[in-house]
Amino acid sequence: MALLLALTVVAAYGYTLTADIADDQEAFLPDGSELVAAMDKLAASFPESSELEAVQVVLRGDVMSPGGAADAIAATRAAAGHPDLSRYLFAGRPPTSPGHVLSAMIAGAGGDPRAVDLAAVSQADIDAALADEANVELVPLLDEMVARNEDGAVVGGIGVVTVNAGGDLEGLAEAQLAADDGVQAVDLAELDSARTLSSGKIGKESDDSSASSLAILMLLAFAVIAVLLVLFYRQVGDVLLTLGGLILTVVWALGFQGLLGPDGLGLIGAPSVLAQMVPVMLIGLCVDYGIQGTSRYREVRAEGAEVSEGISKSVSSVMLPLGLAGATTIISFFTNLFGDISGLADFGVVAGVGVACGLVVFLTGVPAARVLIDRRAQAKGKRPSIRRIDQAIPGAGRVVEAIAKATVKNPAAILVLAGAVTLFFGVMTTGLSTSFNTSDFLPGGTESKEDVDFLSDHLGGNTEPVTVLVESDLADDRTIRNLLDFGFAVEDPLQKPEAVSSGITLSLGTYYNSLPSDVTAQIIREIESSRINPLIVDNAAIDRALALMREYDPAAFDSVVDLDPDGEHDRTILQFNAFTGDSDRTRDLFADVDGLWLGDDEDITPIASEITSLEVTDSLTDSQATSIALTIVAALVVLVLFFWFTEFRPMLAILAVLPILLVLVWVLGTMTLLGFSYNVITALITALSIGIGVDYTIHITHRFIEEREHRGKSIRQAINSTMRTTGGALIGSALTTALGFAVLVFSPIPPMGQFGLLTAITVSYSLIAAVVVLPPMLVTWAAYHHWRKSSQAGT
């Protein structure tokens, strides 16, 4: 106990070293990712375009009326002109809204939109401007900013303020929140409401919702587990010991996370979003250690052992199965170290160390505390409860006894039924979707969630800037033609990708169009006089034309072009807006951009926050799939070695792992039935199912071998004893874990709710696999070896 106290002090010190939660998506991109490399190049060549974001002003009401259009301008100006946000404005894209576009239409060619007083404009004036053929090019831009319902009626719109973080993501987030307050304070004349939608606001609302709800749900989960432990244990001391062990496990895990982190030993990075889930996972995984230890202790006490002898026998009997199950779980987390995603590797280390902490606590600390408590009670003449846990759940004994009898009587029938169920879920798995909407990850009831859904329903989605980095020799005639063709295609309604919500907003072409007519005339003369043939222009002439373009406005030119003196790695950018929120649409954007670029695919890389999020999600999902495969292999190797050297029965390892493979299929098939997609959260559950499931199958396998091989019981007696004792305890353990996780279903954050529900389902399936599928395998295996041994003896 003194040693545990010392370790707790060390862990507490380590907790003080815990770094702030990292908000860096690059930590979850594979090392050497082309996207990360492109982002670094973009930051080096075009820093003012490297961290573009769109602060959207979500407008509700008729933005096509004079008063509504005027309100749209006022709200957008309030956001762009806010003192905190204005210093982040991106000069390449002035703030705009439906009101700005209508003002430009009314002003006409050559007119000044700023001089238009929408308050003095009639609806007839707006309708006339919309019908004017001279404004035909502005109509698509207006349509992209006006929200309509199914009947085509105007219900709102958006204003767009493009900003650049400039490396100060935290400062920009705070500025976005301040600007939102400024927008909501605008006195609107006609619109119903105006407020901003930005990454800063989404992050703040998500953090607040996550922090408050997670704390409440964690307390509720602890309360549910405590109530169940009271029902199972009927002994306050044992309940407090198990809960105390869980709390100590979490404290140690968080402490060692700080010690290993950047402010400690520097072996892992700052905590990530995934690391926040570690305490929840540890509670679910380690409560089993407490229940199994208490169950076995009561068994030996019921057989007449005193306190010290009871602790000694119970710890020695559960140490192997718990240690083996824990080691397999730790390995499953540590397999993330073999991937190339640093954030996932750090998560694996923290979770693996946490499970190790749980093993130490429940195999040393809790038994030590129990010795002290029970000795003191015994000295006072009190006898602690030795009621067996398998008798705690009414009817559980009869259920496991019936399963045991059916297992011995008809093992083949049970296995055939399990195979049929697996086949059904396997067919369901073929329909599992990998698509998702980012809005599904927003907490419900927040303004951001409401605004994202509003834009998705009435406008096709919210938008963000996309920057396409082009790396090619700009003095090459073919490159220039490719740039022109790409720009024309994005502007063409028939060719542009579905996700694109605007024309080209910034490029070498837009810079060229901004040049005075005398400069463009000089460039054209230079090009025309240097044609090699009607289709090809001399590269030297293109170099001279680029020099003329840069000479006029070097700063503006350098904002879109970075010329390499060797002419081999010139860089330029093209920017446009795209709808966000749908993973399939973003994947299609990848493919469409490649298709519109007529040069080498390696020449271009689209960059945007949504694209990065999709890349992160795909990388994590793929990595988890690899981790599952590695975990299965590692579990097989560890269990084969263990059962080979201890029992000379390597086949037992396959029997212990095979039911978990069935559980994986069942979980994936259930995800299809529930309409869940295979994403980073659900992939984490499937990986976790191995750790949970192997724990249960190891307990059953080890107890059966103990009863059969070491106590000389018959197959029937061994399986009955195993199911009655260990099986009964597993039911209590699984019920506690499942209901504890199920509490998370009430989380306002959908991924957390999915995590809780799927974990509860996974625990239930793992229990079924351990007490229904595994026993017939063990019985069949034991019967075969008994027959083989009898045959050899007969010969």
Side-chain angles (χ1 to χ4, degrees):
M1 293 298 293
L3 179 59
L4 293 179
L5 179 61
L7 289 174
T8 303
V9 171
V10 172
Y13 169 73
Y15 184 75
T16 64
L17 301 177
T18 303
D20 293 334
I21 295 176
D23 188 22
D24 187 3
Q25 290 183 323
E26 292 186 24
F28 291 103
L29 288 172
D31 296 338
S33 166
E34 294 181 1
L35 181 58
V36 173
M39 292 167 66
D40 291 340
K41 293 174 183 177
L42 181 65
S45 297
F46 311 103
E48 67 278 7
S49 295
S50 61
E51 295 176 336
L52 291 185
E53 291 187 23
V55 176
Q56 298 176 84
V57 181
V58 182
L59 310 163
R60 285 178 170 82
D62 186 1
V63 296
M64 298 292 284
S65 66
D71 285 345
I73 293 177
T76 305
R77 285 177 177 171
H82 193 281
D84 291 345
L85 191 64
S86 60
R87 63 193 181 95
Y88 295 100
L89 292 181
F90 178 55
R93 298 190 192 181
T96 186
S97 71
H100 288 84
V101 180
L102 287 175
S103 295
M105 287 182 169
I106 295 171
D112 185 1
R114 293 172 295 182
V116 176
D117 182 8
L118 288 173
V121 171
S122 67
Q123 187 64 52
D125 294 330
I126 291 179
D127 294 339
L130 290 171
D132 190 345
E133 292 184 1
N135 292 325
V136 66
E137 294 184 357
L138 292 176
V139 172
L141 176 60
L142 184 63
D143 290 340
E144 292 162 0
M145 308 181 75
V146 176
R148 302 177 183 272
N149 61 18
E150 295 180 355
D151 298 327
V154 176
V155 295
I158 57 169
V160 179
V161 179
T162 305
V163 295
N164 185 284
D168 185 14
L169 293 173
E170 184 176 348
L172 175 60
E174 294 176 356
Q176 289 170 339
L177 293 174
D180 180 62
D181 293 335
V183 170
Q184 297 200 44
V186 173
D187 186 15
L188 301 174
E190 187 167 333
L191 293 183
D192 299 327
S193 66
R195 60 195 186 199
T196 65
L197 176 64
S198 64
S199 61
K201 186 176 179 180
I202 290 174
K204 179 67 165 55
E205 291 179 342
S206 296
D207 290 345
D208 290 346
S209 179
S210 175
S212 59
S213 64
L214 186 59
I216 294 173
L217 292 172
M218 286 290 293
L219 290 175
L220 183 58
F222 257 100
V224 170
I225 290 176
V227 170
L228 291 173
L229 290 178
V230 168
L231 294 176
F232 297 154
Y233 290 165
R234 308 292 177 87
Q235 176 84 20
V236 175
D238 286 343
V239 174
L240 294 178
L241 280 176
T242 301
L243 293 178
L246 293 176
I247 294 173
L248 193 60
T249 297
V250 172
V251 170
W252 280 18
L254 296 178
F256 284 113
Q257 175 181 262
L259 286 173
L260 297 174
D263 296 334
L265 299 176
L267 299 179
I268 61 175
S272 65
V273 176
L274 287 181
Q276 289 182 286
M277 301 180 70
V278 169
V280 179
M281 297 170 65
L282 291 180
I283 292 172
L285 289 171
C286 296
V287 70
D288 174 60
Y289 303 160
I291 292 177
Q292 290 299 321
T294 303
S295 175
R296 190 58 71 94
Y297 174 64
R298 290 189 177 183
E299 280 185 45
V300 296
R301 287 297 306 277
E303 295 172 356
E306 294 300 319
V307 174
S308 298
E309 182 185 5
I311 288 293
S312 178
K313 286 185 176 181
S314 63
V315 171
S316 62
S317 61
V318 300
M319 183 171 290
L320 276 178
L322 286 185
L324 191 59
T328 306
T329 305
I330 293 171
I331 290 173
S332 72
F333 286 123
F334 278 9
T335 54
N336 291 305
L337 290 170
F338 295 96
D340 54 359
I341 301 178
S342 59
L344 198 57
D346 292 344
F347 160 76
V349 170
V350 174
V353 170
V355 172
C357 291
L359 284 173
V360 173
V361 167
F362 282 99
L363 289 177
T364 62
V366 170
R370 181 171 281 118
V371 167
L372 296 178
I373 294 173
D374 286 2
R375 279 179 178 172
R376 184 174 182 179
Q378 193 174 41
K380 292 182 178 181
K382 299 179 180 179
R383 184 174 178 81
S385 174
I386 57 174
R387 186 173 182 269
R388 296 164 64 104
I389 292 180
D390 58 275
Q391 302 171 355
I393 304 176
R398 292 191 297 272
V399 170
V400 293
E401 184 177 359
I403 293 174
K405 291 180 178 179
T407 296
V408 176
K409 186 176 181 180
N410 297 301
I414 295 177
L415 293 178
V416 169
L417 178 61
V421 171
T422 304
L423 180 61
F424 168 76
F425 281 117
V427 173
M428 292 295 100
T429 300
T430 60
L432 184 62
S433 171
T434 57
S435 63
F436 64 93
N437 294 321
T438 53
S439 62
D440 294 339
F441 289 75
L442 297 177
T446 61
E447 291 184 352
S448 294
K449 173 63 174 175
E450 293 174 356
D451 290 340
V452 167
D453 290 343
F454 174 79
L455 295 178
S456 178
D457 293 339
H458 303 297
L459 197 61
N462 51 306
T463 67
E464 72 164 303
V466 176
T467 299
V468 179
L469 177 66
V470 179
E471 297 181 277
S472 187
D473 182 7
L474 292 179
D476 189 327
D477 174 80
R478 185 69 263 172
T479 299
I480 297 298
R481 292 181 183 276
N482 290 338
L483 288 171
L484 291 171
D485 290 339
F486 186 91
F488 291 148
V490 171
E491 302 280 354
D492 185 353
L494 298 179
Q495 296 187 65
K496 73 175 185 178
E498 178 188 359
V500 173
S501 61
S502 74
I504 297 294
T505 56
L506 184 67
S507 68
L508 180 59
T510 62
Y511 172 75
Y512 174 83
N513 290 334
S514 70
L515 296 175
S517 58
D518 59 326
V519 177
T520 57
Q522 185 179 359
I523 293 171
I524 291 173
R525 286 194 299 272
E526 181 67 48
I527 295 296
E528 290 296 335
S529 64
S530 305
R531 287 186 180 275
I532 298 175
N533 59 48
L535 298 178
I536 300 177
V537 178
D538 181 58
N539 288 355
I542 298 178
D543 270 333
R544 291 192 294 271
L546 292 172
L548 288 172
M549 294 172 69
R550 188 179 190 281
E551 182 179 342
Y552 177 75
D553 190 343
F557 181 84
D558 291 342
S559 68
V560 294
V561 175
D562 182 16
L563 295 176
D564 178 36
D566 298 329
E568 296 180 359
H569 303 290
D570 295 336
R571 295 172 186 163
T572 188
I573 55 175
L574 302 103
Q575 293 178 347
F576 52 83
N577 292 332
F579 290 118
T580 63
D582 184 273
S583 62
D584 284 342
R585 189 165 54 192
T586 303
R587 288 190 179 93
D588 290 342
L589 178 62
F590 266 120
D592 292 340
V593 167
D594 285 341
L596 294 180
W597 180 255
L598 301 181
D600 293 336
D601 291 344
E602 294 77 11
D603 292 346
I604 62 170
T605 306
I607 301 170
S609 176
E610 177 80 359
I611 293 173
T612 304
S613 298
L614 179 62
E615 185 86 354
V616 166
T617 302
D618 286 348
S619 298
L620 286 173
T621 303
D622 293 342
S623 180
Q624 283 300 296
T626 302
S627 179
I628 291 172
L630 289 175
T631 299
I632 293 172
V633 173
L636 271 175
V637 171
V638 171
L639 293 177
V640 164
L641 292 176
F642 172 78
F643 286 117
W644 196 347
F645 287 116
T646 60
E647 307 292 340
F648 301 104
R649 298 283 192 269
M651 184 62 186
L652 289 173
I654 297 177
L655 297 182
V657 172
L658 186 56
I660 307 310
L661 299 182
L662 304 186
V663 170
L664 285 175
V665 177
W666 298 352
V667 172
L668 293 174
T670 302
M671 286 166 52
T672 303
L673 294 175
L674 294 176
F676 292 170
S677 64
Y678 187 76
N679 55 50
V680 59
I681 299 297
T682 52
L684 188 63
I685 297 300
T686 54
L688 180 62
S689 66
I690 299 176
I692 295 176
V694 167
D695 282 4
Y696 294 169
T697 57
I698 287 176
H699 285 309
I700 294 292
T701 302
H702 185 270
R703 185 59 180 263
F704 177 76
I705 295 302
E706 180 181 326
E707 298 290 339
R708 172 71 176 151
E709 302 289 339
H710 303 299
R711 297 187 179 181
K713 294 183 179 180
S714 67
I715 294 177
R716 181 186 299 274
Q717 292 172 333
I719 200 66
N720 286 341
S721 178
T722 298
M723 295 292 285
R724 184 180 63 254
T725 55
T726 300
L730 285 181
I731 291 177
S733 175
L735 184 61
T736 304
T737 302
L739 291 181
F741 275 110
V743 169
L744 298 178
V745 172
F746 301 103
S747 171
I749 303 175
M752 190 66 71
Q754 290 184 10
F755 178 84
L757 178 59
L758 283 178
T759 303
I761 292 173
T762 299
V763 170
S764 302
Y765 285 167
S766 298
L767 176 65
I768 293 172
V771 301
V772 177
V773 179
L774 178 61
M777 294 181 178
L778 293 174
V779 167
T780 302
W781 171 85
Y784 167 75
H785 278 279
H786 177 72
W787 169 82
R788 183 180 178 184
K789 186 176 181 180
S790 299
S791 298
Q792 290 175 346
T795 58

